[in-house]
Amino acid sequence: MVLHENKQYYPSAEDVYGPDVETLVQEEDAQPLTEPIIAPIKVRKWTVEEKDMPETRFDKGYALICLLVASRAYGMLDFC
């Protein structure tokens, strides 16, 4: 009969990793409370422009949006 105090429910670190390994148990978190566990996602805004393009009077961003919409509409360019 084994008493409750004498039961070994989990193996010790030495039994798991061997006698040649040093194991550390930290009681406090290494990460400060001011830093979130999961960092928030940063929204980045960017534009793509080609170099050495001639000067134009229209907005290049509008042309890009129009091109993307047209490619989704299976080649219908009437609305741009």
Side-chain angles (χ1 to χ4, degrees):
M1 184 178 224
V2 178
L3 295 175
H4 176 70
E5 302 90 39
N6 296 335
K7 285 186 179 179
Q8 183 180 4
Y9 292 102
Y10 302 103
S12 66
E14 185 177 334
D15 293 338
V16 174
Y17 300 110
D20 298 334
V21 177
E22 179 184 5
T23 57
L24 300 174
V25 178
Q26 296 182 348
E27 299 294 329
E28 295 183 10
D29 293 335
Q31 185 173 3
L33 292 175
T34 56
E35 183 181 341
I37 294 173
I38 300 174
I41 298 173
K42 295 180 182 178
V43 178
R44 296 183 179 146
K45 295 182 180 180
W46 49 274
T47 59
V48 177
E49 293 186 14
E50 294 184 21
K51 295 180 182 178
D52 300 329
M53 292 290 292
E55 289 292 323
T56 59
R57 293 185 181 185
F58 64 89
D59 184 17
K60 293 178 185 173
Y62 176 74
L64 179 64
I65 291 171
C66 189
L67 186 77
L68 292 174
V69 171
S71 68
R72 297 286 295 196
Y74 300 103
M76 298 186 329
L77 297 171
D78 296 338
F79 51 85
C80 289

